[in-house]
Amino acid sequence: RRANRGHPDTMMLLLLWLVAALVCHGVAAEPWNENMATFGHSIKNGPLPAATELTTFEYNCTSASGAACVVTQIHVPSIYPKGGQPFDWQDGTLRIYIDGETTASIELLLTELAWVGKIARAKPMVDNRGLPWGVDRFGHTASSGGVYSTVRIPFHKSVRTTIQAPASATDGGVYWFIIRGVANYPIRVGDVTLPPQARLRMYRVSAVLDRYQLVNLTTVPAGNNGLYFGMQFDGSGGPGVGYTYLEGCVRFYNGDATTPLFLSSGAEDYFLSASYFDAGEFVTNEAGLTYKGGSGDLSAYKLHQDDPVFFANGMRLEWRMCEKTQGCGSTELCPNQFCPPGQGPKQQVSAVDHLAVEASKDALNDHSRLVTPATTPAVATPGNCSGIGPIAQGFDRPGDDHLCFTMKGPNPTPQDCAAHCCNTTECQAWVYAVTPGPYLDCEKKGDICCWLKTGVTQIVKSDVPKIASGVVAGHPYMPPPPPPPSPSPPAPPAPPVPQGKAQYDTIVWVYQWPSSSVSSSQDFAAARPTVALRVAMQLEAAGAVDNKHADRIVELLLQDADGSAAPATHRLAARVRALLGALDDMALDSASARHTIARLLNFVAEK
């Protein structure tokens, strides 16, 4: 091992790999400029009234040279209800209003911020399905919340965020919230910089499908270019279907195309797995399966950050419930071979019905990886409170300690600790555990101790021996909430998926921007002064070129547009246009930008 550790060839290969990685990342990195400015805010223990949409942050964008402002992180640690109300933090709502919207274009339940679907969200709060986890753009790091996203959310005028407690928090609660962003910041997705006019849009669809029925998941109207960024997917198969609905192929139509581009050879294949997700749940930067049940239920996601899917002048995304395969592929059939352009299939075979052929997969993969910590049912107890809530075995509630003492007697139980809390006026929550060391009146390491707490603090998983925790309700100093003026019965449970059908619930994420008015070399020639100015101004504002080189870029693009450029110049100009993408007119307000415009206008007039 000593020889391998110091082997010169090994060290040289490692050094070369590190240099290559640094060079590649250096090429992709955006240069800093003095206009970039970080904005943001954090809220701790924020009061959250019931049934109220509460503003958590507002920011007005002051961009230079038309650059965007970009939200770079949103983190919601949790929403805590008051008293003994259900701990349904995952059903809280986050809304994001872009550029003065009156209806939020982005509205999510809290777990959807971490791209966790509704089926996974429906599991009990103590169901720590693979927690904690995080990938490049989002994560879920706490059983009581800890959902975050670093998906870029651009805006030009303003952004406003709000939060709303779940409907079950009828007496309100408290919340935690963090947001950050950068003004005058490029919009990067993977290794591509999008135009500053790009906006993030979400398209939500819910549908119950018959066998072979096609569903449209997204239609971006004509007049928009963009990038299909990703999908959050919940699927449920009814009796007789199970997971066989995963035989559908994902179809993408660019612009007004009538022939689809197939993005997958099956649904689980689209999410970068196989055989009905036979290895169970996983999370990666590219795709993940955040829940798999035993009866055709699943939650999954796919990102196109490093696997970009671009479109021009609109797009459609479609999916079928089950599939038949034959030939080159079409709206009706998934392909079973590659066909060169203009050529038909090499061999004609009958269409294969995968619902029948693949039904055995569903039986082989009918399992669940659910692991739920043990809980003890609520018990009634006399004293200063109306009862003891459910006892969460294996969970702690750190902070807000009022008393801590060694429990006496032969076999003290969590219920005994809860009863102490119930008979202590100041106590709202409690923790029972084998103490790791002396603390307050807990005498020595190894004692079974009871902690009484003056607040309902965040619940966290713990490996402390025998630990359990809970919350009590109905203290004399905590009056019960007033009854609602017109009580309504609880909402009925969602009906099961009917026999022979499947239900799809999807959120499709798209970055889109207005299609460029410069769509051909002839159009470019007609608009060349405007395009040349935009190119030069963006490069100069980003600090990528000085005044002399900005003038040279204008000259280069003008020559290329009128056909007088040499082949090498033409290729360089084409690369400049390709790198910058479609640029719309920018609203410039700085003195230096106005000076640049005037100077370049004089230059164009002279030409």
Side-chain angles (χ1 to χ4, degrees):
R1 291 195 303 178
R2 184 168 58 250
N4 288 339
R5 187 167 61 242
H7 195 285
D9 291 342
T10 302
M11 297 301 293
M12 181 59 71
L13 288 173
L14 178 59
L15 178 61
L16 290 174
W17 180 84
L18 288 173
V19 170
L22 288 172
V23 169
C24 290
H25 282 284
V27 171
E30 292 290 339
W32 172 85
N33 71 73
E34 62 185 5
N35 292 318
M36 292 180 179
T38 299
F39 59 83
H41 189 55
S42 297
I43 297 173
K44 178 180 176 66
N45 295 338
L48 186 57
T52 301
E53 183 180 6
L54 186 70
T55 295
T56 56
F57 183 68
E58 290 184 274
Y59 181 79
N60 292 322
C61 180
T62 54
S63 63
S65 302
C69 295
V70 181
V71 175
T72 56
Q73 176 185 286
I74 296 178
H75 176 204
V76 182
S78 196
I79 296 176
Y80 272 42
K82 290 183 179 179
Q85 298 170 30
F87 191 18
D88 296 332
W89 66 268
Q90 61 268 38
D91 292 326
T93 303
L94 172 73
R95 296 182 180 90
I96 305 174
Y97 297 81
I98 303 295
D99 293 339
E101 292 171 337
T102 56
T103 300
S105 57
I106 298 176
E107 179 176 332
L108 300 167
L109 296 172
L110 292 192
T111 46
E112 291 175 338
L113 182 66
W115 288 47
V116 174
K118 72 165 191 175
I119 294 176
R121 187 181 70 251
K123 300 295 104 180
M125 179 272 298
V126 293
D127 175 11
N128 287 298
R129 311 193 57 81
L131 297 183
W133 62 265
V135 295
D136 189 29
R137 283 289 175 239
F138 42 80
H140 186 193
T141 59
S143 60
S144 55
V147 286
Y148 72 85
S149 170
T150 60
V151 171
R152 276 29 184 167
I153 305 175
F155 60 99
H156 258 285
K157 298 177 183 177
S158 64
V159 67
R160 181 169 74 95
T161 60
T162 69
I163 197 167
Q164 187 166 339
S168 60
T170 55
D171 197 28
V174 295
Y175 72 98
W176 293 256
F177 179 80
I178 304 169
I179 186 170
R180 273 192 296 278
V182 181
N184 300 292
Y185 202 57
I187 309 165
R188 291 191 59 82
V189 178
D191 49 11
V192 177
T193 301
L194 303 184
Q197 293 77 23
R199 292 293 176 268
L200 181 62
R201 296 288 183 256
M202 62 176 290
Y203 297 84
R204 191 186 291 268
V205 169
S206 180
V208 176
L209 305 176
D210 291 312
R211 183 180 179 185
Y212 302 129
Q213 184 177 347
L214 196 67
V215 61
N216 181 289
L217 301 181
T218 310
T219 295
V220 177
N224 290 278
N225 294 344
L227 167 69
Y228 165 39
F229 181 62
M231 180 195 300
Q232 298 169 236
F233 174 74
D234 282 288
S236 297
V241 175
Y243 285 115
T244 59
Y245 64 84
L246 293 173
E247 293 302 331
C249 297
V250 180
R251 293 164 170 83
F252 170 81
Y253 295 83
N254 184 14
D256 57 0
T258 57
T259 302
L261 170 66
F262 285 88
L263 301 185
S264 77
S265 54
E268 75 272 41
D269 310 0
Y270 176 69
F271 297 105
L272 302 186
S273 188
S275 302
Y276 297 174
F277 300 102
D278 62 356
E281 297 158 11
F282 68 96
V283 291
T284 73
N285 286 341
E286 307 299 325
L289 178 70
T290 55
Y291 174 75
K292 183 181 180 184
S295 57
D297 294 340
L298 63 85
S299 293
Y301 68 84
K302 173 70 174 85
L303 275 170
H304 289 281
Q305 176 170 268
D306 296 317
D307 165 31
V309 178
F310 294 107
F311 61 88
N313 201 30
M315 73 93 159
R316 299 193 334 268
L317 192 68
E318 296 180 347
W319 200 344
R320 189 182 302 283
M321 193 284 232
C322 300
E323 197 73 73
K324 294 181 180 181
T325 62
Q326 185 181 38
C328 308
S330 65
T331 299
E332 301 302 325
L333 297 169
C334 195
N336 63 7
Q337 58 189 277
F338 171 70
C339 302
Q343 299 183 29
K346 296 179 181 178
Q347 53 182 342
Q348 293 287 351
V349 295
S350 299
V352 177
D353 184 344
H354 285 278
L355 183 60
V357 174
E358 303 292 343
S360 60
K361 287 184 182 178
D362 194 43
L364 291 173
N365 294 289
D366 187 11
H367 62 84
S368 170
R369 301 177 69 186
L370 175 64
V371 178
T372 305
T375 60
T376 302
V379 296
T381 183
N384 292 332
C385 64
S386 59
I388 300 172
I391 296 174
Q393 306 283 352
F395 287 83
D396 190 8
R397 290 183 177 272
D400 288 1
D401 292 333
H402 173 59
L403 295 173
C404 175
F405 53 89
T406 299
M407 299 184 70
K408 306 299 183 181
N411 294 298
T413 66
Q415 286 85 348
D416 296 330
C417 182
H420 281 292
C421 183
C422 231
N423 288 296
T424 303
T425 303
E426 296 85 355
C427 186
Q428 298 186 42
W430 55 270
V431 173
Y432 165 97
V434 175
T435 180
Y439 179 72
L440 297 179
D441 292 329
C442 201
E443 297 166 0
K444 62 181 183 297
K445 180 179 179 179
D447 281 356
I448 295 179
C449 293
C450 179
W451 283 260
L452 305 185
K453 298 172 178 288
T454 58
V456 180
T457 59
Q458 187 167 342
I459 189 169
V460 296
K461 182 69 176 173
S462 175
D463 295 327
V464 173
K466 297 185 179 180
I467 193 165
S469 61
V471 176
V472 296
H475 296 276
Y477 65 93
M478 294 176 59
S486 55
S488 56
V497 180
Q499 173 83 26
K501 297 179 183 291
Q503 178 163 341
Y504 290 4
D505 292 278
T506 63
I507 299 176
V508 171
W509 293 94
V510 175
Y511 286 98
Q512 62 189 66
W513 54 90
S515 299
S516 172
S517 59
V518 180
S519 57
S520 68
S521 58
Q522 183 177 4
D523 292 335
F524 182 78
R528 61 184 183 269
T530 304
V531 173
L533 286 174
R534 287 199 300 255
V535 170
M537 287 186 296
Q538 176 154 337
L539 287 174
E540 191 171 8
V545 297
D546 56 19
N547 295 346
K548 177 181 177 181
H549 289 103
D551 287 348
R552 173 60 183 142
I553 289 167
V554 172
E555 183 178 13
L556 172 74
L557 292 177
L558 289 176
Q559 289 177 354
D560 179 65
D562 62 18
S564 64
T569 301
H570 177 83
R571 287 194 297 272
L572 181 58
R575 288 181 62 192
V576 170
R577 292 200 304 275
L579 286 171
L580 293 174
L583 296 173
D584 290 337
D585 290 326
M586 304 181 202
L588 302 173
D589 51 13
S590 68
S592 60
R594 288 195 296 271
H595 173 74
T596 302
I597 293 174
R599 178 170 50 77
L600 293 176
L601 283 173
N602 289 336
F603 178 83
V604 173
E606 292 171 1
K607 293 294 181 181

